[in-house]
Amino acid sequence: MIVVMKLDAAEEEILAVEKRLKEAGLAGHLIRGVNRIVIGAVGDEREVIASLGLEIMPAVEKVVPIMKPFKLVSREARDEPTVVRVKEAIFGGDHLAIIAGPCAVESLEQVMKAAKYIKAAGGQVLRGGAYKPRTSPYAFQGMEEKGLEILKQAGNEYGLATVTEVIDEPSLELACDYVDMVQIGTRNMQNFRLLKAVGKVRKPVILKRGLSATIEEWLMAAEYIMSEGNDQVILCERGIRTFETYTRNTLDLSAIPVIKDLSHLPIIVDPSHATGSAKLVGSMSKGAIASGVDGLIIEVHPEPCKALCDGPQSLDPQQFTALMEELKRVANAVDRKLSNGLL
Amino acid sequence: MIVVMKLDAAEEEILAVEKRLKEAGLAGHLIRGVNRIVIGAVGDEREVIASLGLEIMPAVEKVVPIMKPFKLVSREARDEPTVVRVKEAIFGGDHLAIIAGPCAVESLEQVMKAAKYIKAAGGQVLRGGAYKPRTSPYAFQGMEEKGLEILKQAGNEYGLATVTEVIDEPSLELACDYVDMVQIGTRNMQNFRLLKAVGKVRKPVILKRGLSATIEEWLMAAEYIMSEGNDQVILCERGIRTFETYTRNTLDLSAIPVIKDLSHLPIIVDPSHATGSAKLVGSMSKGAIASGVDGLIIEVHPEPCKALCDGPQSLDPQQFTALMEELKRVANAVDRKLSNGLL
Amino acid sequence: MIVVMKLDAAEEEILAVEKRLKEAGLAGHLIRGVNRIVIGAVGDEREVIASLGLEIMPAVEKVVPIMKPFKLVSREARDEPTVVRVKEAIFGGDHLAIIAGPCAVESLEQVMKAAKYIKAAGGQVLRGGAYKPRTSPYAFQGMEEKGLEILKQAGNEYGLATVTEVIDEPSLELACDYVDMVQIGTRNMQNFRLLKAVGKVRKPVILKRGLSATIEEWLMAAEYIMSEGNDQVILCERGIRTFETYTRNTLDLSAIPVIKDLSHLPIIVDPSHATGSAKLVGSMSKGAIASGVDGLIIEVHPEPCKALCDGPQSLDPQQFTALMEELKRVANAVDRKLSNGLL
Amino acid sequence: MIVVMKLDAAEEEILAVEKRLKEAGLAGHLIRGVNRIVIGAVGDEREVIASLGLEIMPAVEKVVPIMKPFKLVSREARDEPTVVRVKEAIFGGDHLAIIAGPCAVESLEQVMKAAKYIKAAGGQVLRGGAYKPRTSPYAFQGMEEKGLEILKQAGNEYGLATVTEVIDEPSLELACDYVDMVQIGTRNMQNFRLLKAVGKVRKPVILKRGLSATIEEWLMAAEYIMSEGNDQVILCERGIRTFETYTRNTLDLSAIPVIKDLSHLPIIVDPSHATGSAKLVGSMSKGAIASGVDGLIIEVHPEPCKALCDGPQSLDPQQFTALMEELKRVANAVDRKLSNGLL
């Protein structure tokens, strides 16, 4: 860390900082400039910095941490990209995978229809929400275990891997019996109890970015999961909150190259929740692939206008099938393969 | 809701919208302007709107909801302000109450010292975190049940009510045995399972605004709690995330009059987490009181420079005592009473 | 517009609203719901709404405008996409064009070198700043007219069109003598005097989105230019301000399909200013093309590490040449042509 | 500045950084930690850092500036608070002043009426816009010179100082003939040409914060004015853009103590534009005074419901008069005087 002293810091105040650093086992290097003195100290775990209380010493102007706070998720810990495989889906490396399905599981018939089209169009993973975190207590909250059964049945029928959102430990436990991957939603990105719990299971985890989470906080949430032993973590960018109102959120595609620079974990994009509008999904899906994403999660509903949840952002099967053809061309242009090798 | 048709909507497309509204039991009123046709429909539960799928009909430009989505928390449901009383503390009406204490319970000695000064200075409620949601998995996570015991002991010793953050159902259950109020933290504002659980207990609940929650989402979270039967909800503004970096967050004091306009629930402010800096706490505390707040929650630590957590934003006992004198003058200038009547 | 009355609005208050609408020549349609009365009125110029003063009548809860405030820039005014041509560059339709060059004109040698590589790599327009709006009064403010001469000379030498930023009427007048297109920078997006002035010249104008401008405000700024008679306007997305700090700004690629939905004007992207980092430029350039952009503006400097301004975000000639090869592949995958037909 | 090297930086890459620093006349201090090497360098003008090109050397992870970029506006340049006096108004020190008046000058009668009430209620400065920067080219753009004449006449009649917004050099020149203070609006905070021009006049300048300006950028804009010789600068916080939609902007009252910590310049608050709603103005005005503000600028219109501009946020004379009584009590509670000594 770098401790910046105030212009008028007295000699004994500088000594006091050095003393405190020394007590904490850190060596302080004094840099005496024309206008200002700064003290560089080796080692700057955020926790150590916090415990030193330097920021409240009157002669200290600010303390600047230098090291990144994440470890296991960083490229410094592992330079090779992590590749996550789930049945035919491969996230990372030369491959990218397509997850698709309805926002919420509503009925067996609905999910079977969606699965059929998704498989035919070349998707590899079937999504469907059985536990829905809804803004309103009066909204449809999901079919729960019955929904998980439907998802499993449809996955088996059409040879698709399955993924669903978990919202607490009971739903996680159940989900592990039925699906191939679990997802932590936006609102739970910093539900640390839940992060630790998914860190202990042996299923791949999709970790959605919080609505206003910085990239650093998002990676720290992944660090929680990895620190419990699960290294099958896929990051999912799904739009951040800004002042713009034409889109539901603002999709931050620059997170793709930033994550690839900082971390070895794969990153996917959810263009449906990010934009909130079916007519924007195609453009953003192509943009994400050209930007280097490792997968997409797209809402597809057999009849969007009858969806119980998020109809306006769902593609219908024809739109999805047409989009998949376009995505293959873009993937090819950036030397990526849609993962089952059949495309 | 108002359905705005596209400029070039054909007559049969307009009829199709009217038909769908009718099927849902809603009467549609057609308004035919020079340039554009809009259809007004009575009743616009967000859920109903979503299920109609109007937004994906090609001739529909947009659907504008008219009614507010919250009910129990609204002033339309109850025009009188809700007053929450906890021992000597009164939040709402003519009164306002001061909650103070350390970010985290670290030791019996620390909490006893803090409690002594807080009582002497005129505070009514003692806060202290026993379960700490921390950004890093490597950071101090709280003393858990031991921390709750300490809090209770200090509260009893000094005649202060107590409040602590709960992070899941087990911690809620334990907290109810030890403290007088529970708090839902920023990161759990949309942990709906937890909201429902606190809705079932008979303790007052402080509900912090999420880091990037709109006022509407915040009120919907309170609606979750009230819909389970607990109407002792206190809203807490604690800063929202913006681009500004001199402060940890941006304290949104305009939320105070907005909440008072929309809801009957009391609102308090946390100037410590909002600003992240002890030197800004006094100014923001006075501002909040003059703006009409019903209480404050201020971090006070007997020795901020040794705090395990959030030292830079904690006041020491002398600073807190001096600030309380200033707060009394401001409260008096806006005809509010600090709640125990002794000030 | 839709006027939403308060729950407890009295009959005479409703009549008062209707009367005011009538006085303004607007017909009001009363919709009487179970819980609430709304009044729909045909015609909702923002100005008319503002002048009615409805929002401050005590019984009015809110006034919701229905029509979009922009006219000339909208697809309703012109359904065909506007295509802007400048020498070999074609922005819009099947074509997209590449603008490249240094942030600031620093010397003849620097610009000639950059131009040579840009031409060889397939770029069509040379950019270079002669008037630099800088955050600090102590920073390099541009070579002014001398810079314009250099730009013109390099453009002529290598057969490239030229573009430069103008910051006021004198710089606009000079720029028109030297360059083929002018640019309005982010900080001047709502400098309405300048917008009107560029509306009167007969050169294409690149209008950058303001740092925190909504898409609607951006289109209204374009409306200012078009309302003065210049319809050669190219919109440029260059990143909006959010809380994220790993990137300088957050590039909003979803603005591309949104603009194409709302307006006939072409849109380009500036990945260099948006990200602030050369290593992110390639990924974002490919993403923008796949998302449907009509052009890119990329910073290229013969020696980025010696740039007087924005070196860290500039590509060197080798990086730019390699990127152009990648961009051609992506453009091809989405059926777009780089505009001079030689690629 | 601090140069942080990558983990795997080679010895010759470290030497290269040291060499470049030396060439620029800066001494580099190497700090060799267990995991990482950082190089501290004395002197870190942003311009110097930019010109060094360190950030694009492959072995450099990041460059952290340490010094603040502003000088003349900082408390390090002048520790005493600057007090700005305009006729009876005193901004700063023990005093605070109230500016009030209509958003736009619409007629002599309107301004005379407003002025009469403002004077009677204890206001010291009369505001009124003669040049209105409007989002739409079709909106009322102000009465221009005729408006300035009216403002002057009303100011003379009632013994009030006057202030108006200037939008370019011609309007500045005219305004200086008619009014006592000039104002730079939000959209022109980084119109550097205009900042330099107001830096050359000898009138106090109110500098509004840009809609998404950081505090640092705002102070840099003030630095532009001061660097031209005008040190009568008053900063005005008027709300920043966030995701919240119940208020027009989010008033950042924490900017008050932050500015007082960083700068000697006085700061005022505009609660009318910040909130966009007359019913929130009182609460925010009281909050601002209790937080330590040096003045307020409040929209007052004799008949808000007939205002050509911003009626919904304007107080009527009765509301303003009542609010002034409340403001005096709050000012008194924080030991501030409304400046004409008669209150």
Side-chain angles (χ1 to χ4, degrees):
Chain A
M1 90 197 77
I2 304 295
V3 185
V4 183
M5 303 301 293
K6 284 198 180 144
L7 262 194
D8 55 1
E11 206 58 29
E12 68 266 24
E13 293 178 303
I14 295 163
L15 288 173
V17 170
E18 292 191 302
K19 180 157 168 282
R20 193 160 293 174
L21 289 171
K22 205 174 166 187
E23 285 166 4
L26 304 172
H29 299 249
L30 197 72
I31 306 176
R32 211 174 272 274
V34 185
N35 289 315
R36 199 172 289 267
I37 281 166
V38 305
I39 303 167
V42 163
D44 66 350
E45 307 285 318
R46 294 291 195 278
E47 299 317 305
V48 174
I49 293 182
S51 71
L52 288 170
L54 296 170
E55 278 158 309
I56 46 180
M57 295 174 79
V60 171
E61 185 172 305
K62 62 177 170 180
V63 178
V64 184
I66 295 298
M67 285 175 66
K68 302 189 192 87
F70 40 84
K71 302 182 206 313
L72 301 173
V73 303
S74 80
R75 289 212 26 201
E76 291 170 2
R78 177 179 171 165
D79 200 38
E80 286 293 285
T82 290
V83 175
V84 176
R85 287 157 206 271
V86 194
K87 294 193 172 164
E88 287 188 346
I90 307 177
F91 298 90
D94 293 343
H95 291 76
L96 59 90
I98 306 297
I99 304 169
C103 180
V105 174
E106 296 165 15
S107 71
L108 178 60
E109 192 202 353
Q110 168 229 26
V111 179
M112 289 299 253
K113 260 197 205 165
K116 182 180 161 194
Y117 286 110
I118 289 163
K119 181 67 181 185
Q124 293 99 22
V125 186
L126 177 67
R127 62 153 288 162
Y131 299 88
K132 304 299 306 169
R134 301 301 294 275
T135 306
S136 165
Y138 312 119
F140 174 60
Q141 311 265 327
M143 292 181 73
E144 310 202 343
E145 188 168 3
K146 181 67 196 153
L148 296 175
E149 284 171 17
I150 288 172
L151 202 58
K152 183 178 185 176
Q153 195 175 335
N156 286 345
E157 179 77 17
Y158 291 100
L160 293 164
T162 51
V163 62
T164 206
E165 178 170 354
V166 295
I167 57 172
D168 52 15
E169 284 163 278
S171 63
L172 170 63
E173 210 169 302
L174 269 176
C176 286
D177 292 343
Y178 288 100
V179 299
D180 302 306
M181 303 170 79
V182 294
Q183 177 187 310
I184 301 290
T186 285
R187 296 179 181 82
N188 282 312
M189 192 202 84
Q190 291 192 317
N191 182 334
F192 301 118
R193 188 64 56 121
L194 185 56
L195 294 177
K196 286 182 185 171
V198 298
K200 290 188 182 111
V201 303
R202 290 296 161 267
K203 300 264 184 189
V205 180
I206 294 176
L207 176 66
K208 287 200 156 185
R209 182 177 182 179
L211 200 50
S212 70
T214 62
I215 286 173
E216 189 169 300
E217 289 168 339
W218 189 17
L219 287 172
M220 289 308 290
E223 185 88 13
Y224 259 95
I225 300 173
M226 286 193 73
S227 71
E228 295 290 334
N230 188 345
D231 60 359
Q232 299 294 92
V233 181
I234 298 172
L235 299 164
C236 179
E237 160 63 29
R238 45 77 69 211
I240 57 174
R241 183 157 277 177
T242 69
F243 55 82
E244 181 53 59
T245 55
Y246 267 104
T247 45
R248 183 190 275 193
N249 302 290
T250 295
L251 183 61
D252 179 11
L253 287 184
S254 55
I256 299 170
V258 171
I259 287 292
K260 294 209 163 292
D261 190 48
L262 296 173
S263 175
H264 53 84
L265 294 174
I267 174 169
I268 66 174
V269 156
D270 177 345
S272 308
H273 282 88
T275 62
S277 169
K279 68 186 165 192
L280 305 175
V281 165
S283 175
M284 289 300 95
S285 296
K286 289 182 276 182
I289 291 182
S291 298
V293 88
D294 299 310
L296 294 170
I297 179 162
I298 298 176
E299 290 202 2
V300 175
H301 193 285
E303 291 177 279
C305 66
K306 295 194 179 157
L308 290 183
C309 153
D310 284 340
Q313 73 197 32
S314 296
L315 301 187
D316 66 27
Q318 289 66 37
Q319 290 167 327
F320 178 67
T321 304
L323 178 59
M324 284 296 284
E325 291 308 309
E326 297 187 68
L327 297 186
K328 287 172 208 168
R329 292 180 64 194
V330 177
N332 189 55
V334 291
D335 296 323
R336 299 294 292 272
K337 281 176 271 215
L338 279 169
S339 56
N340 60 7
L342 301 173
L343 305 163
Chain B
M1 92 197 76
I2 304 296
V3 185
V4 183
M5 303 301 294
K6 283 195 181 147
L7 261 194
D8 54 2
E11 208 57 30
E12 68 265 24
E13 293 178 304
I14 296 163
L15 288 172
V17 170
E18 293 191 302
K19 182 158 167 280
R20 193 160 295 173
L21 290 170
K22 205 174 166 188
E23 285 166 3
L26 304 171
H29 299 248
L30 196 72
I31 306 176
R32 210 174 274 272
V34 185
N35 290 316
R36 199 172 290 267
I37 281 166
V38 306
I39 303 168
V42 164
D44 66 349
E45 307 285 318
R46 293 293 195 278
E47 298 318 307
V48 175
I49 293 182
S51 71
L52 288 171
L54 295 170
E55 278 158 310
I56 46 180
M57 295 174 80
V60 171
E61 186 172 302
K62 62 177 170 179
V63 178
V64 184
I66 295 299
M67 287 176 65
K68 301 190 193 87
F70 39 85
K71 301 182 206 316
L72 302 173
V73 303
S74 80
R75 290 212 24 200
E76 292 170 1
R78 178 178 171 166
D79 201 37
E80 287 292 284
T82 290
V83 175
V84 176
R85 287 157 206 271
V86 194
K87 295 192 172 163
E88 288 187 346
I90 307 177
F91 298 89
D94 293 342
H95 290 76
L96 59 89
I98 307 296
I99 304 169
C103 180
V105 173
E106 296 165 15
S107 71
L108 178 60
E109 191 202 354
Q110 168 229 26
V111 179
M112 290 299 254
K113 261 197 204 166
K116 182 181 161 193
Y117 287 111
I118 289 161
K119 182 68 182 183
Q124 294 98 21
V125 186
L126 177 67
R127 61 153 288 162
Y131 299 88
K132 303 299 305 170
R134 302 299 296 273
T135 305
S136 165
Y138 312 119
F140 174 60
Q141 311 265 326
M143 291 181 74
E144 310 203 342
E145 188 167 3
K146 183 67 196 152
L148 297 174
E149 285 171 17
I150 288 172
L151 202 59
K152 184 178 186 174
Q153 195 176 337
N156 286 344
E157 178 77 17
Y158 292 101
L160 292 165
T162 51
V163 61
T164 205
E165 178 170 354
V166 295
I167 56 171
D168 52 15
E169 284 163 278
S171 62
L172 170 62
E173 210 170 303
L174 269 176
C176 286
D177 292 342
Y178 289 100
V179 299
D180 302 306
M181 302 170 79
V182 295
Q183 177 188 309
I184 301 290
T186 284
R187 295 179 182 82
N188 283 313
M189 191 202 84
Q190 290 193 318
N191 182 334
F192 301 118
R193 188 64 55 120
L194 184 57
L195 294 177
K196 286 182 185 171
V198 299
K200 291 189 181 108
V201 304
R202 290 296 160 268
K203 300 265 184 188
V205 180
I206 295 176
L207 176 66
K208 288 200 155 184
R209 182 178 183 180
L211 198 50
S212 70
T214 61
I215 286 174
E216 188 169 302
E217 289 168 338
W218 188 19
L219 287 173
M220 288 308 290
E223 185 87 14
Y224 259 94
I225 300 173
M226 286 193 72
S227 71
E228 296 290 334
N230 187 345
D231 60 359
Q232 298 294 92
V233 181
I234 298 171
L235 299 164
C236 178
E237 160 64 29
R238 44 79 69 212
I240 56 174
R241 183 158 277 177
T242 70
F243 55 82
E244 181 54 59
T245 55
Y246 267 104
T247 45
R248 184 191 274 194
N249 302 290
T250 295
L251 184 61
D252 179 11
L253 287 185
S254 55
I256 299 169
V258 171
I259 288 290
K260 295 209 163 290
D261 190 49
L262 296 173
S263 176
H264 53 84
L265 294 174
I267 175 170
I268 64 173
V269 157
D270 176 345
S272 308
H273 282 89
T275 61
S277 168
K279 67 186 166 193
L280 306 175
V281 166
S283 174
M284 290 299 95
S285 297
K286 288 181 277 183
I289 290 181
S291 298
V293 90
D294 299 310
L296 294 171
I297 178 163
I298 298 177
E299 291 201 4
V300 175
H301 193 286
E303 290 177 280
C305 66
K306 295 194 181 160
L308 289 184
C309 155
D310 285 339
Q313 73 197 33
S314 296
L315 301 186
D316 66 28
Q318 288 65 37
Q319 291 167 327
F320 178 68
T321 304
L323 177 60
M324 285 295 285
E325 290 308 308
E326 297 187 67
L327 297 185
K328 287 173 209 168
R329 292 180 63 195
V330 177
N332 188 55
V334 291
D335 296 323
R336 300 295 293 273
K337 282 177 270 217
L338 280 169
S339 54
N340 61 6
L342 302 173
L343 305 162
Chain C
M1 91 197 77
I2 304 296
V3 185
V4 184
M5 303 301 295
K6 283 197 182 146
L7 262 193
D8 54 3
E11 208 58 29
E12 68 266 23
E13 293 177 304
I14 295 163
L15 288 172
V17 170
E18 293 191 300
K19 182 158 166 282
R20 193 160 295 174
L21 289 171
K22 205 173 165 187
E23 286 165 4
L26 305 171
H29 299 248
L30 197 72
I31 306 176
R32 209 174 274 274
V34 185
N35 290 316
R36 197 171 291 266
I37 281 166
V38 305
I39 303 168
V42 164
D44 65 350
E45 307 286 318
R46 295 291 196 278
E47 298 317 306
V48 175
I49 294 182
S51 70
L52 289 170
L54 296 169
E55 279 158 309
I56 46 181
M57 296 173 79
V60 171
E61 185 173 304
K62 61 177 168 179
V63 178
V64 183
I66 295 300
M67 284 175 66
K68 301 188 193 89
F70 39 85
K71 301 182 205 318
L72 302 173
V73 303
S74 80
R75 289 210 29 198
E76 293 170 0
R78 177 177 172 167
D79 201 37
E80 287 292 285
T82 289
V83 175
V84 176
R85 286 156 208 270
V86 193
K87 295 192 173 164
E88 288 187 345
I90 307 177
F91 299 90
D94 293 343
H95 290 75
L96 59 89
I98 306 297
I99 304 168
C103 181
V105 174
E106 297 165 15
S107 70
L108 177 62
E109 191 202 354
Q110 169 230 26
V111 178
M112 289 300 253
K113 260 196 205 165
K116 181 182 162 192
Y117 286 111
I118 289 162
K119 180 69 181 184
Q124 293 97 22
V125 186
L126 177 67
R127 62 152 288 160
Y131 299 88
K132 303 299 307 169
R134 302 299 296 274
T135 306
S136 165
Y138 311 119
F140 173 60
Q141 311 263 328
M143 291 181 74
E144 310 203 341
E145 189 168 2
K146 181 70 196 153
L148 296 175
E149 284 171 16
I150 289 173
L151 202 58
K152 184 177 185 177
Q153 195 177 338
N156 286 344
E157 177 79 16
Y158 291 103
L160 292 165
T162 50
V163 62
T164 205
E165 179 170 354
V166 295
I167 58 172
D168 51 16
E169 284 162 279
S171 62
L172 169 62
E173 210 170 302
L174 269 178
C176 285
D177 293 342
Y178 289 101
V179 299
D180 302 306
M181 303 170 77
V182 296
Q183 178 187 309
I184 301 291
T186 285
R187 294 179 181 84
N188 282 313
M189 191 202 82
Q190 291 193 318
N191 183 335
F192 300 119
R193 187 66 53 123
L194 185 55
L195 294 177
K196 286 182 185 171
V198 298
K200 289 187 184 110
V201 303
R202 290 296 160 266
K203 300 264 184 189
V205 180
I206 295 177
L207 176 66
K208 288 200 154 184
R209 183 178 182 179
L211 199 51
S212 71
T214 61
I215 285 174
E216 189 169 300
E217 289 168 338
W218 189 18
L219 287 172
M220 288 308 289
E223 185 86 14
Y224 259 95
I225 300 173
M226 286 192 72
S227 71
E228 296 289 335
N230 188 344
D231 60 358
Q232 299 293 93
V233 181
I234 298 172
L235 299 164
C236 178
E237 159 65 28
R238 45 77 70 213
I240 56 174
R241 183 158 275 177
T242 70
F243 55 81
E244 180 55 59
T245 55
Y246 267 104
T247 44
R248 183 191 275 194
N249 301 289
T250 296
L251 182 62
D252 178 12
L253 286 185
S254 55
I256 300 170
V258 171
I259 288 291
K260 294 208 164 291
D261 191 47
L262 296 173
S263 175
H264 53 85
L265 295 174
I267 175 170
I268 65 173
V269 156
D270 177 344
S272 308
H273 282 89
T275 61
S277 168
K279 69 186 166 193
L280 305 175
V281 166
S283 174
M284 290 299 96
S285 296
K286 288 182 276 183
I289 291 181
S291 298
V293 90
D294 299 309
L296 294 171
I297 179 162
I298 299 176
E299 291 201 3
V300 175
H301 193 287
E303 290 177 280
C305 66
K306 295 193 180 157
L308 290 184
C309 154
D310 284 340
Q313 73 197 31
S314 296
L315 301 187
D316 66 28
Q318 290 65 38
Q319 290 167 329
F320 177 67
T321 304
L323 177 59
M324 285 295 285
E325 290 308 308
E326 296 186 69
L327 297 186
K328 288 173 208 168
R329 293 180 63 193
V330 177
N332 189 54
V334 292
D335 296 324
R336 299 295 292 273
K337 282 177 269 213
L338 279 168
S339 54
N340 60 6
L342 302 173
L343 305 162
Chain D
M1 90 197 76
I2 303 297
V3 185
V4 183
M5 303 301 294
K6 284 199 180 142
L7 261 193
D8 54 2
E11 207 58 29
E12 68 267 23
E13 294 178 303
I14 296 163
L15 288 172
V17 170
E18 292 191 301
K19 182 157 166 282
R20 192 159 296 173
L21 290 171
K22 206 174 165 187
E23 285 166 2
L26 305 171
H29 299 248
L30 197 73
I31 306 177
R32 209 174 273 274
V34 184
N35 289 315
R36 199 171 290 266
I37 281 167
V38 305
I39 303 167
V42 164
D44 66 349
E45 307 286 317
R46 293 292 195 278
E47 298 318 306
V48 175
I49 293 182
S51 70
L52 289 171
L54 296 169
E55 277 158 309
I56 45 179
M57 296 173 79
V60 170
E61 186 172 304
K62 62 177 169 180
V63 177
V64 184
I66 295 299
M67 286 174 65
K68 300 188 193 89
F70 39 85
K71 300 183 206 316
L72 301 173
V73 303
S74 80
R75 294 222 10 211
E76 292 170 2
R78 178 179 171 164
D79 201 36
E80 287 292 286
T82 289
V83 175
V84 176
R85 287 158 207 269
V86 193
K87 295 193 171 164
E88 287 188 346
I90 307 176
F91 298 89
D94 292 343
H95 290 76
L96 59 90
I98 306 296
I99 304 169
C103 180
V105 173
E106 296 165 15
S107 70
L108 177 62
E109 192 202 353
Q110 168 229 27
V111 179
M112 290 299 255
K113 261 197 203 164
K116 181 182 162 194
Y117 286 111
I118 289 162
K119 181 68 181 184
Q124 293 98 22
V125 186
L126 177 66
R127 62 152 287 161
Y131 298 88
K132 303 299 305 169
R134 301 299 296 275
T135 306
S136 165
Y138 312 119
F140 174 60
Q141 311 265 328
M143 291 181 75
E144 310 201 344
E145 188 166 3
K146 180 70 196 151
L148 297 175
E149 284 171 18
I150 289 173
L151 202 59
K152 185 176 184 178
Q153 195 176 336
N156 286 345
E157 178 79 17
Y158 292 102
L160 291 165
T162 51
V163 62
T164 205
E165 178 170 354
V166 294
I167 58 172
D168 51 16
E169 283 163 277
S171 63
L172 169 63
E173 212 169 301
L174 270 177
C176 285
D177 292 342
Y178 288 100
V179 299
D180 302 307
M181 304 170 78
V182 294
Q183 177 188 309
I184 300 291
T186 284
R187 295 179 182 83
N188 283 312
M189 192 202 84
Q190 291 192 318
N191 182 335
F192 301 118
R193 188 65 55 121
L194 186 55
L195 295 177
K196 285 182 186 171
V198 298
K200 289 188 183 110
V201 303
R202 290 296 161 265
K203 300 264 183 187
V205 180
I206 295 177
L207 176 67
K208 287 200 155 184
R209 182 178 182 180
L211 199 50
S212 71
T214 62
I215 286 174
E216 188 169 300
E217 289 168 337
W218 188 19
L219 287 173
M220 288 308 290
E223 185 86 15
Y224 259 94
I225 300 172
M226 287 192 72
S227 70
E228 297 289 334
N230 188 344
D231 60 358
Q232 298 293 91
V233 181
I234 298 173
L235 300 164
C236 178
E237 160 64 28
R238 44 78 70 211
I240 56 173
R241 183 157 276 177
T242 70
F243 54 82
E244 181 55 59
T245 56
Y246 267 104
T247 43
R248 182 190 276 195
N249 302 289
T250 295
L251 183 61
D252 178 12
L253 287 184
S254 55
I256 300 169
V258 171
I259 288 291
K260 295 209 163 290
D261 190 48
L262 296 174
S263 176
H264 53 86
L265 294 174
I267 175 171
I268 66 174
V269 156
D270 177 344
S272 308
H273 281 89
T275 62
S277 168
K279 67 187 167 193
L280 306 175
V281 166
S283 175
M284 290 300 95
S285 296
K286 289 182 275 183
I289 291 181
S291 297
V293 88
D294 299 310
L296 294 171
I297 178 163
I298 298 177
E299 290 202 2
V300 175
H301 192 285
E303 290 176 279
C305 67
K306 295 194 180 157
L308 290 184
C309 155
D310 284 340
Q313 73 198 32
S314 296
L315 301 187
D316 65 28
Q318 289 65 37
Q319 290 167 328
F320 178 67
T321 304
L323 178 60
M324 284 296 285
E325 290 308 308
E326 296 187 68
L327 298 185
K328 288 173 207 167
R329 293 181 63 195
V330 177
N332 189 55
V334 292
D335 296 324
R336 299 294 291 274
K337 281 176 272 216
L338 278 169
S339 53
N340 61 6
L342 302 173
L343 305 163

